[in-house]
Amino acid sequence: MSVTDQSIPVKTRLLQSALQLVREQGYDGTTVDELCRSAGVTKGAFFHYFEGKEALAIVATKFWTEVTGAAFAVADYHKFEDPLDRLLGYVDFRIEILEGRSLAECTCFLGTLVQEKFISSPTIRDACLEGIDSHARDISKLIGEAKMRHAPLAVWGAESLALHTQAVIQGAFILAKAKNDVTIAADMIRHLRRYIELLFHCTDET
Amino acid sequence: MSVTDQSIPVKTRLLQSALQLVREQGYDGTTVDELCRSAGVTKGAFFHYFEGKEALAIVATKFWTEVTGAAFAVADYHKFEDPLDRLLGYVDFRIEILEGRSLAECTCFLGTLVQEKFISSPTIRDACLEGIDSHARDISKLIGEAKMRHAPLAVWGAESLALHTQAVIQGAFILAKAKNDVTIAADMIRHLRRYIELLFHCTDET
DNA sequence: AGACACATACAAACCAGTTGGTATGAAATC
DNA sequence: GATTTCATACCAACTGGTTTGTATGTGTCT
């Protein structure tokens, strides 16, 4: 099921190509022509479905949020009864995702996009923020439940820790890109796992 | 002392403009013309000093590494006798740097650049890696000393933890950009601080 | 006079977006 | 039920502006 598969609608193919190419080359580094070539459509088709490049970026952030949201929704870690196990399961899942994938395949479209356009396009920035926040809210809920059961008096907030998990993951991707080595990202996320374990097991310290 | 200050050499002005503009707009989003305008020089001057845009980027990474390296070298946190205090002082210093600064002024040139060009320009990627690693080595040394004194048996490695500090900081910048709020980066780095404290104070758990 | 440090003008490629069209199918009209 | 009408989904060529880079000129210092 390549991205040029004729059975996939043109609009979807363009969005899939956008996710891939932007993660590989950045937003400004990806031309509309290239996007069309990758999706196997012409420029006419592109401008039929999207008002312009920026509009595509906005739609792509929503597309990304849906696709990844669905992947997390069906992931195994939800099966654990203890919310702390679910939280640690989530972190393990983030590590699993890295395995056997190229960097561009496992890094975050939103993080890549927002770093490049956070000033030059507030519209894109807001769209990225919504996607990131949407996922962070899910994680915050997980953390809140784990906190309620295991560390109700802890000083740190669930929301803040949820954002921290996302920060670590985003930062892990940057280091992995610099080192051209996905495994380094896993190492960084394992530190996050240890941090969470310490937060829940050394409550006297917080 | 603006970047167009006539007393600063043209080449330096171009490099300073590059650091600023790339952090604001990204590499591909910054044109050579814009760079020249910002530095108050003409295109002739630009191509007199640099072979091209990519060559400038390489030199800019070295410039960045020197400038920031010097800033960290003279920072206060080195005064502490206990290496753990120096390490925590470093983290606090990273938080201090954020205060009163705009996002583009306090984020990392290398992280921004490498995320955009890690595939399309291996040369730039390597230059960014060298800068990041150079700083990480300094932090790794700090951590190694702290570990030797306070947690010699800990399972985590100094180098890995040093990279993790950089990952957290880079990721903090991405979230801050998405939220358009520098203070969120400080929150993320405070989690890093707590992680380090826990690592050194709950050694039985590791 | 010759080297260096720039400035100005220009070229060649590139890129987002436009224009003007075709093919197809569905709905309205006769 | 045949025909016209119209909207949708695309396609290919083109345009105007931008971008990196070059070629050549000019002033200055030694």
Side-chain angles (χ1 to χ4, degrees), chain A residues 6-27:
Chain A
Q6 293 299 320
S7 72
I8 303 172
V10 166
K11 190 176 179 180
T12 309
R13 263 149 61 200
L14 280 166
L15 289 170
Q16 288 172 341
S17 289
L19 298 190
Q20 187 193 321
L21 290 179
V22 170
R23 286 193 287 172
E24 284 172 3
Q25 314 177 337
Y27 175 80

Side-chain angles (χ1 to χ4, degrees), chain B:
Chain B
M1 191 162 96
S2 148
V3 78
T4 55
D5 187 329
Q6 293 298 322
S7 71
I8 302 173
V10 167
K11 189 176 179 179
T12 308
R13 263 150 61 199
L14 279 166
L15 288 170
Q16 288 172 341
S17 289
L19 297 190
Q20 186 192 320
L21 290 178
V22 169
R23 286 193 288 170
E24 284 172 3
Q25 315 177 338
Y27 175 80
D28 288 323
T30 301
T31 68
V32 173
D33 277 317
E34 209 175 355
L35 217 51
C36 294
R37 223 179 312 128
S38 158
V41 304
T42 59
K43 280 236 322 255
F46 179 93
F47 284 97
H48 174 71
Y49 286 108
F50 303 101
E51 279 188 22
K53 197 184 172 186
E54 193 180 30
L56 162 91
I58 304 295
V59 179
T61 62
K62 298 186 173 109
F63 183 65
W64 169 266
T65 305
E66 281 165 26
V67 170
T68 57
F72 285 115
V74 301
D76 259 359
Y77 61 84
H78 293 287
K79 74 181 177 211
F80 296 115
E81 186 276 327
D82 187 327
L84 179 56
D85 289 333
R86 288 203 290 278
L87 174 57
L88 293 171
Y90 163 73
V91 175
D92 291 335
F93 182 59
R94 295 298 312 231
I95 294 172
E96 267 173 50
I97 291 173
L98 305 175
E99 276 157 28
R101 279 200 170 80
S102 77
L103 264 165
E105 281 164 359
C106 64
T107 50
C108 178
F109 173 75
L110 303 176
T112 304
L113 188 54
V114 78
Q115 177 140 58
E116 209 174 327
K117 306 304 287 181
F118 76 109
I119 289 180
S120 27
S121 173
T123 323
I124 290 181
R125 177 174 57 69
D126 286 341
C128 291
L129 174 58
E130 174 48 32
I132 292 172
D133 263 345
S134 153
H135 184 57
R137 279 193 295 271
D138 292 343
I139 307 311
S140 180
K141 217 182 138 205
L142 263 186
I143 295 175
E145 290 164 7
K147 190 186 175 194
M148 186 103 71
R149 184 178 310 188
H150 296 282
L153 301 175
V155 296
W156 45 268
E159 201 184 321
S160 170
L161 181 57
L163 285 175
H164 179 69
T165 63
Q166 301 311 297
V168 172
I169 290 163
Q170 296 289 350
F173 290 150
I174 290 192
L175 284 206
K177 285 171 185 171
K179 292 202 175 265
N180 199 26
D181 176 9
V182 197
T183 65
I184 202 78
D187 287 345
M188 302 301 97
I189 300 178
R190 270 187 281 271
H191 277 283
L192 171 63
R193 194 188 202 282
R194 179 156 35 216
Y195 176 47
I196 294 171
E197 286 180 319
L198 286 169
L199 279 182
F200 279 95
H201 294 140
C202 294
T203 47
D204 52 308
E205 291 290 338
T206 59

Side-chain angles (χ1 to χ4, degrees), chain A:
Chain A
M1 193 163 94
S2 148
V3 79
T4 53
D5 187 329
Q6 293 299 320
S7 72
I8 303 172
V10 166
K11 190 176 179 180
T12 309
R13 263 149 61 200
L14 280 166
L15 289 170
Q16 288 172 341
S17 289
L19 298 190
Q20 187 193 321
L21 290 179
V22 170
R23 286 193 287 172
E24 284 172 3
Q25 314 177 337
Y27 175 80
D28 288 323
T30 301
T31 69
V32 173
D33 278 311
E34 210 175 354
L35 217 50
C36 295
R37 223 179 311 128
S38 158
V41 303
T42 60
K43 256 175 122 172
F46 179 93
F47 283 97
H48 173 73
Y49 286 108
F50 304 101
E51 278 188 24
K53 197 184 174 185
E54 192 180 32
L56 162 90
I58 305 296
V59 180
T61 61
K62 296 183 176 115
F63 183 66
W64 169 266
T65 306
E66 281 165 26
V67 170
T68 57
F72 286 115
V74 301
D76 258 0
Y77 61 84
H78 294 286
K79 74 183 177 209
F80 296 116
E81 187 274 326
D82 188 328
L84 179 55
D85 289 334
R86 287 204 291 278
L87 175 57
L88 293 171
Y90 163 74
V91 175
D92 291 335
F93 182 59
R94 296 298 313 229
I95 295 172
E96 266 174 49
I97 290 172
L98 306 174
E99 276 156 29
R101 278 200 171 79
S102 77
L103 263 166
E105 281 164 359
C106 63
T107 51
C108 178
F109 174 75
L110 303 176
T112 305
L113 188 54
V114 78
Q115 176 140 58
E116 210 173 327
K117 306 304 287 181
F118 75 109
I119 289 179
S120 28
S121 174
T123 322
I124 290 181
R125 176 173 58 69
D126 286 340
C128 291
L129 174 59
E130 174 48 31
I132 292 172
D133 263 345
S134 153
H135 184 58
R137 278 192 296 271
D138 291 344
I139 307 311
S140 181
K141 218 182 134 202
L142 262 185
I143 295 176
E145 290 163 8
K147 190 186 174 194
M148 185 103 71
R149 183 177 311 187
H150 297 282
L153 302 176
V155 294
W156 45 269
E159 201 184 321
S160 170
L161 181 56
L163 286 175
H164 180 70
T165 63
Q166 301 311 297
V168 172
I169 291 163
Q170 295 290 349
F173 290 150
I174 291 193
L175 284 205
K177 285 171 184 170
K179 293 201 174 266
N180 198 27
D181 176 8
V182 197
T183 66
I184 202 79
D187 287 346
M188 302 301 97
I189 300 178
R190 269 188 281 271
H191 276 283
L192 171 64
R193 195 189 201 281
R194 179 157 33 217
Y195 176 47
I196 294 172
E197 286 180 320
L198 286 169
L199 279 182
F200 279 95
H201 294 140
C202 294
T203 45
D204 53 307
E205 292 290 339
T206 59

